[in-house]
């Protein structure tokens, strides 16, 4: 009658025997419309309003789908937890582990690769609107908005965690003992790698831009764009591989909204400016001056953005998963603007001091299992990606000079400068954001200037 009992009483089928005769039901309603418009407001070609809406779908890709070949009866991936799937595990030099030796062996529980039979193709709504106005001569001012809403996005969960049978179906055990309270929902299998549709995302972005095609008499083209945006989701990638996330998939397989937070790639503010200056030289009577002062080009691009988000975990009592840090006192989530160095460590900085949160470390455990894998989690558990790393900026530039040799030949000298100012941006060590292992969030600086010189001969 509920999802927990369904997992317990679920049955693994081969495709020919399954009620739906497939790995999942057919999804035949993938209607993907597109609608767009463009309006010349005053009919003079100087003011335009554009907009559109679309709906797109993503196929259910490989990995878990392909990996069902590893399920019984043809294969079995033995994945055991001591105290839950087998009484104990001993260290052995034999590659066969607990299956070593001779004679008949009883196969322990195997793990399961599972695709939800009701899975559908993930999809996203996306929409946009823009207003552009030509100001004066060759100046373009724009205001653009874009948004999207991802729905039924692919996720990975393990609904068959150690202890789930005790927590959700009241399997008897000794409260507070994780070795006693280790019943799974489905006793035939150990961990399950389940592909489902519990992911979602939302994005909104507003961009202001100014562009000049050719600044009169100066030979200068430039552009400037500033974007404010916010991306929210509960899983930024199916496999949680970005930013060294400590958990695979959702923290709670039965509560997908628990992981709602800033997307891994959320950048709140971003600025981009670029220019191309062909230095004008009108004179042509003096050949020497023409060669010295003419043919110069300077172009470049500047980018600046605020920091990327990250999560602080607490794995003290984690058995299957790491819960997120419990905030016991106010904490500056943007870190230090001038972090101090760490003694006896090169290129390591204390970006965020966590010493004020020490009393919260390991303070939560489920009263039944003695682990922090199951909720309801404390109200002061920080949200996913609640903290932000430092911002970053960079400037690249190119300086070139062209010489004409007669009417048929041209030589161009070109210097390319990447990270012109040799600026080292600061980044968070995202693999060291687990509070039971450290009392601060470490950061490092990275970035160096690269120069490339070129000579081109055209004939």
């Amino acid at each position: 009658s509920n999802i927990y009992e369904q997992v317990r009483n679920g049955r693994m089928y081969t495709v020919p025997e399954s009620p739906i005769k497939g790995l999942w039901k057919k999804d035949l309603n993938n209607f993907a419309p597109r609608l767009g418009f463009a309006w010349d407001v005053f009919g003079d070609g100087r003011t335009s309003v554009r907009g559109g809406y679309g709906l797109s779908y993503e196929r259910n890709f490989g990995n878990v789908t392909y990996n069902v070949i590893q399920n019984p009866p043809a294969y079995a991936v033995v994945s055991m937890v001591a105290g839950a799937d087998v009484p104990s595990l001993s260290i052995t030099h034999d590659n066969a582990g607990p299956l070593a030796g001779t004679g008949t062996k009883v196969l322990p529980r195997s793990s399961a690769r599972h695709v939800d039979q009701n899975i559908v193709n993930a999809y996203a709504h996306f929409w946009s609107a823009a207003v552009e106005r030509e100001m004066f001569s060759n100046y373009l001012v724009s205001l653009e908005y874009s948004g999207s809403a991802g729905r039924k996005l692919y996720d990975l969960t393990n609904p068959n965690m150690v202890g789930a049978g005790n927590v959700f179906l009241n399997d008897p055990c000794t409260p507070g003992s994780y070795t006693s309270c280790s019943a799974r929902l489905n006793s035939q299998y150990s961990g399950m790698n389940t592909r489902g549709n519990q992911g979602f995302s939302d994005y909104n972005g507003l961009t202001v831009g100014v562009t000049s095609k050719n600044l009169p008499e100066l030979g200068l083209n430039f552009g400037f764009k500033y974007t404010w945006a916010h991306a929210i989701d509960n899983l930024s990638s199916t496999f949680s591989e970005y930013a060294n996330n400590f958990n695979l998939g959702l923290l709670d397989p039965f509560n997908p909204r628990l992981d709602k937070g800033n997307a891994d790639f959320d950048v709140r503010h971003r600025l981009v400016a670029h220019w191309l200056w062909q230095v004008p030289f009108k004179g042509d009577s003096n050949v020497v001056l023409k060669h010295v002062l003419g043919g110069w080009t300077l172009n470049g691009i500047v980018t600046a953005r605020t920091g990327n988000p990250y999560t602080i975990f607490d794995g003290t009592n984690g058995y299957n998963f790491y819960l997120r840090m419990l905030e016991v006192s106010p904490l500056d989530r943007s870190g230090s603007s001038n972090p101090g160095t760490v003694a006896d460590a090169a290129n390591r900085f204390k970006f965020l001091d966590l010493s004020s949160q020490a009393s919260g470390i390991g303070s939560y455990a489920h009263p039944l299992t003695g682990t922090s894998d199951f909720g309801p989690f404390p109200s002061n558990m920080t949200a996913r990606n609640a903290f932000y790393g430092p911002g970053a900026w960079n400037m690249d530039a190119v300086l070139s000079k062209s010489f004409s040799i007669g009417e048929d030949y041209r030589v161009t000298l070109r210097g390319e400068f990447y990270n012109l100012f040799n600026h080292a941006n600061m980044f968070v060590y995202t693999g060291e954001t687990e509070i039971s292992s450290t009392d601060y969030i470490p950061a490092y600086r990275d970035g160096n200037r690269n120069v490339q010189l070129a000579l081109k001969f055209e004939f």
Side-chain angles (χ1 to χ4, degrees):
S1 61
N2 58 48
I3 184 62
Y4 313 118
E5 292 178 345
Q6 291 169 16
V7 175
R8 169 146 295 180
N9 299 313
R11 176 180 172 188
M12 186 79 76
Y13 288 96
T14 58
V15 166
E17 297 175 324
S18 72
I20 58 176
K21 306 301 180 184
L23 291 177
W24 58 83
K25 294 179 181 178
K26 293 181 179 180
D27 183 17
L28 302 176
N29 64 343
N30 294 172
F31 178 61
R34 300 286 193 280
L35 175 66
F37 68 90
W39 178 28
D40 184 351
V41 180
F42 301 108
D44 58 1
R46 299 187 64 185
T47 304
S48 68
V49 176
R50 296 183 176 88
Y53 164 81
L55 180 63
S56 64
Y57 293 82
E58 173 64 278
R59 67 185 178 89
N60 189 0
F61 57 95
N63 190 264
V64 175
T65 305
Y66 176 78
N67 285 352
V68 297
I69 66 169
Q70 299 177 22
N71 288 329
Y75 293 86
V77 177
V78 177
S79 177
M80 299 170 293
V81 175
D85 305 305
V86 291
S88 63
L89 286 171
S90 58
I91 303 299
T92 174
H93 293 289
D94 197 307
N95 290 336
L99 303 180
T102 59
T104 301
K105 294 287 182 179
V106 177
L107 191 67
R109 289 176 185 164
S110 63
S111 58
R113 271 66 176 170
H114 167 230
V115 181
D116 187 337
Q117 68 271 17
N118 298 310
I119 198 171
V120 297
N121 289 331
Y123 63 91
H125 304 272
F126 52 93
W127 56 90
S128 63
V131 178
E132 294 181 326
R133 171 68 178 174
E134 185 182 29
M135 306 291 290
F136 311 110
S137 176
N138 296 326
Y139 285 90
L140 188 67
V141 178
S142 62
L143 179 64
E144 306 166 67
Y145 164 75
S146 60
S148 69
R151 297 296 181 261
K152 301 292 185 181
L153 305 182
Y154 302 123
D155 72 293
L156 284 179
T157 60
N158 176 16
N160 206 34
M161 298 185 296
V162 173
N166 309 103
V167 173
F168 299 122
L169 292 180
N170 300 315
D171 290 343
C173 69
T174 302
S177 172
Y178 71 87
T179 55
S180 172
C181 300
S182 58
R184 298 183 186 269
L185 290 178
N186 188 292
S187 60
Q188 184 177 357
Y189 296 94
S190 56
M192 289 185 178
N193 192 329
T194 295
R195 166 75 60 81
N197 274 131
Q198 298 188 98
F200 59 84
S201 68
D202 292 281
Y203 172 83
N204 290 281
L206 189 66
T207 300
V208 178
V210 178
T211 303
S212 172
K213 296 180 181 178
N214 185 8
L215 201 62
E217 305 301 324
L218 293 180
L220 177 63
N221 298 285
F222 68 87
F224 164 90
K225 285 198 173 185
Y226 161 77
T227 298
W228 176 92
H230 194 191
I232 300 172
D233 59 24
N234 68 335
L235 194 64
S236 293
S237 67
T238 304
F239 304 105
S240 311
E241 73 275 11
Y242 183 79
N244 294 316
N245 282 309
F246 284 78
N247 294 328
L248 173 62
L250 301 176
L251 175 60
D252 186 343
F254 305 109
N255 182 13
R257 298 194 69 82
L258 181 67
D259 283 335
K260 180 181 178 181
N262 301 308
D264 292 350
F265 46 82
D266 178 53
V267 174
R268 203 62 53 89
H269 304 277
R270 185 190 301 271
L271 183 146
V272 178
H274 64 88
W275 66 90
L276 171 61
W277 185 27
Q278 293 177 311
V279 182
F281 178 72
K282 302 294 185 179
D284 57 359
S285 58
N286 189 311
V287 176
V288 175
L289 288 178
K290 179 180 178 180
H291 281 291
V292 173
L293 300 180
W296 287 95
T297 300
L298 177 66
N299 59 299
I301 183 170
V302 175
T303 61
R305 62 164 177 82
T306 52
N308 294 114
Y310 64 95
T311 305
I312 301 178
F313 296 90
D314 181 359
T316 306
N317 299 317
Y319 199 74
N320 301 278
F321 295 97
Y322 282 21
L323 87 162
R324 297 186 287 270
M325 184 191 75
L326 305 183
E327 188 172 14
V328 296
S329 62
L331 189 62
D332 184 0
R333 304 193 175 205
S334 60
S336 172
S337 59
N338 187 27
T341 59
V342 178
D344 301 322
N347 195 19
R348 189 177 179 92
F349 302 85
K350 286 188 176 182
F351 179 69
L352 179 62
D353 186 357
L354 300 178
S355 58
S356 62
Q357 311 300 313
S359 62
I361 299 174
S363 61
Y364 172 74
H366 192 278
L368 198 61
T369 63
T371 70
S372 59
D373 294 342
F374 301 97
F377 296 101
S379 59
N380 64 331
M381 183 177 75
T382 51
R384 172 177 157 268
N385 283 336
F387 300 87
Y388 277 84
W393 65 270
N394 182 67
M395 178 176 175
D396 300 330
V398 174
L399 179 65
S400 64
K401 176 73 169 74
S402 295
F403 302 87
S404 295
I405 304 176
E407 297 183 356
D408 299 326
Y409 305 98
R410 176 179 291 271
V411 175
T412 300
L413 299 174
R414 182 180 176 91
E416 301 176 351
F417 306 88
Y418 301 96
N419 190 3
L420 176 65
F421 293 104
N422 200 29
H423 172 68
N425 289 298
M426 183 170 287
F427 303 91
V428 166
Y429 277 111
T430 53
E432 299 183 35
T433 59
E434 199 276 304
I435 192 171
S436 70
S437 302
T438 181
D439 63 354
Y440 69 94
I441 297 299
Y444 65 99
R445 292 191 180 278
D446 188 29
N448 59 279
R449 180 192 299 119
N450 289 309
V451 179
Q452 180 172 291
L453 303 177
L455 173 65
K456 182 168 66 174
F457 177 60
E458 300 175 67
F459 60 92

